[in-house]
Amino acid sequence: MKELIEEMDENEMKYALTEEVFNKIDCMIEEKKLPLESAIDFLKHIGYYEILRNISNTNYMTSSLRKKFDEILIEEEIKKEDRNEKTRSDLCECCILLNCLFLSESISNYVPNLLKATLNKVENEDAQKEVEIALLALNNIAYYYDIEKALYLNEIKEIMKYHMDHRNLTPLAYQSAWKFLIERVRKESSLEVIIANELHFGREASRELTELAKLLDAKRKSKTKGDMEGKVILRWLNTISFYFLNCKLWNKEHSVIVGSIASLYKSTKNYFEDIRMLCIRSFVSAAGNRVVKVRTLLKNGAVDVFLEEIHQSTLINNNFATSLEFFEDLCERLKEEMERKEDEIKRKETKRKVLEKLEEEGYEDIIVSFHKTHPFMTSGTQYMMKTKKTCDYFVHI
């Protein structure tokens, strides 16, 4: 049955995992036809693949199985003796992977159990898989719940630093650890110093993207499935976008991340559309964040990516509007820099380089030509407003 879940695509999983299926599993447990431990293991497997495939399935939430598991967790919580910690921990993982909601006060009880599982440093395949699942469950709650920093920070730092020295985690497990920590920045801004300066997010993200891109390319050339590598790359790009949108401190490793994404874009643009689009989106996030410098985007390849996108775009291509959004942010920031006299020399040099790139292949003509035809765009007023505004910047700034 596990193998069948692994072979299903997103639509098949979505329509196969009905409320009736979860109710049936409940009946099988009740009738002693399926041991509780086996049911939990199987359901963790389902939740794992739902997360990897970005499936939102609420059928478990309305099933009788969810009520049974809630009752078991409550029973284990109130026990003072003979508490089955493994069942409690496994069941907690299972419910979180299946996107189950908890009371915030309950989460603070579950996080230490999940972290305990992630600290297993045994490097055999089964142990690595258990750590991977625990970290995946952990980051599935990162965005929605308030979790005290004391509950997780030392453990997450230990996990990451050990991996940096020993490379013991799977790529998905390592990405999941980072996703958990970075999404905590939204509620704990002080974490950014640790993320950027102590744990070197830019260096680590760049290395992971580079290694995964090589594996993905090798599998493509050998006509072998690279599903996992592709999914982990997409998760990294989403995490990087989140980081760019929320980071407040300048860090020299921003240039390393930008350069890696530009390289990833070049190596995947003709074969992996989802990766291409998220590369573009992450640069838009970076351009909109005043912490990531315009010179960083120019020097490390981001501007070249959007010039290429504009060159290949058509009136019905969403990439064109996204490219204009990127250049609009850059132009707005150049305009802001103009108002700060101390930056005048650097601003003029950056502006000169941007305009040189635009003129090299006639990109400014392309942008203005879209401005001329904007009344015929069919995707709403957003295109028209952005086109006119951006062209005005290029012509008048």
Side-chain angles (χ1 to χ4, degrees), residues 116-250:
K116 186 177 179 181
T118 67
L119 290 168
N120 185 354
K121 296 182 174 65
V122 177
E123 295 186 23
N124 65 57
E125 190 174 336
D126 289 341
Q128 285 183 320
K129 189 70 172 181
E130 283 301 313
V131 170
E132 183 180 87
I133 289 173
L135 283 168
L136 200 63
L138 190 66
N139 76 60
N140 210 36
I141 60 173
Y143 190 81
Y144 299 102
Y145 294 96
D146 290 320
I147 305 170
E148 292 181 23
K149 193 162 53 173
L151 287 175
Y152 64 83
L153 185 56
N154 288 338
E155 289 82 356
I156 284 290
K157 285 167 61 176
E158 180 183 344
I159 290 164
M160 290 179 171
K161 289 181 177 180
Y162 188 85
H163 176 75
M164 290 173 196
D165 291 335
H166 300 90
R167 312 299 287 173
N168 64 305
L169 299 175
T170 67
L172 176 59
Y174 193 44
Q175 191 283 327
S176 296
W178 273 112
K179 182 176 183 289
F180 172 79
L181 188 58
I182 285 175
E183 290 195 354
R184 300 309 309 150
V185 169
R186 195 172 60 92
K187 296 180 181 292
E188 291 277 359
S189 58
S190 62
L191 289 173
E192 193 179 335
V193 175
I194 296 170
I195 287 167
N197 299 332
E198 183 179 345
L199 297 174
H200 299 284
F201 173 67
R203 180 194 69 196
E204 293 300 301
S206 174
R207 179 170 64 185
E208 291 295 306
L209 283 180
T210 301
E211 291 179 0
L212 287 163
K214 287 178 181 176
L215 287 171
L216 189 64
D217 190 53
K219 288 191 173 183
R220 180 186 65 81
K221 289 176 179 175
S222 64
K223 297 183 179 180
T224 307
K225 274 190 175 182
D227 289 355
M228 181 57 79
E229 289 79 10
K231 289 182 188 304
V232 179
I233 287 173
L234 292 173
R235 287 170 62 86
W236 269 112
L237 291 171
N238 276 318
T239 299
I240 289 167
S241 287
F242 186 93
Y243 175 76
F244 279 149
L245 286 170
N246 291 277
C247 71
K248 302 292 188 292
L249 301 175
W250 178 84

Side-chain angles (χ1 to χ4, degrees), residues 82-120:
D82 299 324
R83 179 185 286 176
N84 190 329
E85 290 293 350
K86 182 168 186 350
T87 297
R88 182 169 172 261
S89 179
D90 286 346
L91 193 50
C92 171
E93 275 185 32
C94 174
C95 294
I96 292 172
L97 289 166
L98 290 170
N99 240 355
C100 189
L101 301 177
F102 295 92
L103 295 173
S104 294
E105 54 267 27
S106 298
I107 286 295
S108 63
N109 294 325
Y110 299 146
V111 166
N113 281 332
L114 291 172
L115 284 167
K116 186 177 179 181
T118 67
L119 290 168
N120 185 354

Side-chain angles (χ1 to χ4, degrees), residues 14-114:
K14 187 174 181 180
Y15 291 110
L17 299 173
T18 62
E19 183 179 337
E20 289 74 22
V21 167
F22 292 113
N23 288 341
K24 181 66 175 176
I25 294 172
D26 180 27
C27 290
M28 292 174 71
I29 296 171
E30 195 68 31
E31 295 168 2
K32 310 295 184 185
K33 294 179 180 178
L34 179 65
L36 178 63
E37 294 77 12
S38 299
I40 292 172
D41 182 59
F42 176 58
L43 289 160
K44 281 167 65 174
H45 197 74
I46 289 174
Y48 174 86
Y49 279 97
E50 282 188 343
I51 291 173
L52 280 188
R53 291 165 186 165
N54 291 316
I55 297 170
S56 179
N57 187 340
T58 59
N59 292 326
Y60 167 76
M61 298 285 290
T62 56
S63 70
S64 60
L65 181 64
R66 186 261 175 102
K67 294 176 184 176
K68 178 187 292 296
F69 283 175
D70 284 350
E71 290 169 1
I72 294 172
L73 281 171
I74 291 170
E75 288 172 7
E76 290 297 325
E77 281 293 318
I78 62 177
K79 282 182 181 177
K80 298 194 181 292
E81 297 179 0
D82 299 324
R83 179 185 286 176
N84 190 329
E85 290 293 350
K86 182 168 186 350
T87 297
R88 182 169 172 261
S89 179
D90 286 346
L91 193 50
C92 171
E93 275 185 32
C94 174
C95 294
I96 292 172
L97 289 166
L98 290 170
N99 240 355
C100 189
L101 301 177
F102 295 92
L103 295 173
S104 294
E105 54 267 27
S106 298
I107 286 295
S108 63
N109 294 325
Y110 299 146
V111 166
N113 281 332
L114 291 172

Side-chain angles (χ1 to χ4, degrees), residues 294-304 350 353-354 357:
V294 174
R295 290 186 297 279
T296 297
L297 297 169
L298 177 65
K299 182 179 177 182
N300 294 282
V303 172
D304 294 303
T350 302
K353 289 181 179 179
V354 170
K357 283 186 175 292

Side-chain angles (χ1 to χ4, degrees), residues 182-373:
I182 285 175
E183 290 195 354
R184 300 309 309 150
V185 169
R186 195 172 60 92
K187 296 180 181 292
E188 291 277 359
S189 58
S190 62
L191 289 173
E192 193 179 335
V193 175
I194 296 170
I195 287 167
N197 299 332
E198 183 179 345
L199 297 174
H200 299 284
F201 173 67
R203 180 194 69 196
E204 293 300 301
S206 174
R207 179 170 64 185
E208 291 295 306
L209 283 180
T210 301
E211 291 179 0
L212 287 163
K214 287 178 181 176
L215 287 171
L216 189 64
D217 190 53
K219 288 191 173 183
R220 180 186 65 81
K221 289 176 179 175
S222 64
K223 297 183 179 180
T224 307
K225 274 190 175 182
D227 289 355
M228 181 57 79
E229 289 79 10
K231 289 182 188 304
V232 179
I233 287 173
L234 292 173
R235 287 170 62 86
W236 269 112
L237 291 171
N238 276 318
T239 299
I240 289 167
S241 287
F242 186 93
Y243 175 76
F244 279 149
L245 286 170
N246 291 277
C247 71
K248 302 292 188 292
L249 301 175
W250 178 84
N251 184 273
K252 63 182 179 181
E253 291 183 4
H254 289 164
S255 60
V256 179
I257 303 177
V258 171
S260 294
I261 296 172
S263 297
L264 178 66
Y265 168 87
K266 290 175 185 176
S267 66
T268 60
K269 64 181 179 178
N270 295 324
Y271 309 103
F272 303 100
E273 182 64 16
D274 289 347
I275 294 175
R276 173 185 178 180
M277 291 305 300
L278 276 184
C279 286
I280 292 168
R281 201 67 239 170
S282 64
F283 282 148
V284 172
S285 299
N289 187 338
R290 297 306 193 257
V291 177
V292 183
K293 296 181 179 179
V294 174
R295 290 186 297 279
T296 297
L297 297 169
L298 177 65
K299 182 179 177 182
N300 294 282
V303 172
D304 294 303
V305 165
F306 284 97
L307 292 176
E308 185 169 341
E309 284 297 317
I310 286 178
H311 194 62
Q312 295 177 352
S313 290
T314 66
L315 288 174
I316 60 172
N317 189 333
N318 287 333
N319 292 1
F320 174 71
T322 304
S323 300
L324 291 186
E325 182 181 351
F326 174 84
F327 281 116
E328 182 183 329
D329 285 333
L330 254 59
C331 291
E332 186 71 51
R333 291 174 62 185
L334 286 170
K335 189 176 181 181
E336 289 172 3
E337 288 183 13
M338 188 188 303
E339 296 167 2
R340 297 197 298 269
K341 297 296 183 183
E342 66 272 16
D343 292 337
E344 183 66 13
I345 295 175
K346 288 182 178 179
R347 185 198 67 79
K348 284 184 177 179
E349 179 63 15
T350 302
K351 177 186 171 184
R352 182 185 66 77
K353 289 181 179 179
V354 170
L355 293 177
E356 278 181 0
K357 283 186 175 292
L358 287 170
E359 292 167 1
E360 280 175 5
E361 301 290 339
Y363 289 113
E364 187 173 351
D365 292 337
I366 294 171
I367 294 168
V368 173
S369 73
F370 277 106
H371 173 46
K372 297 291 185 185
T373 57

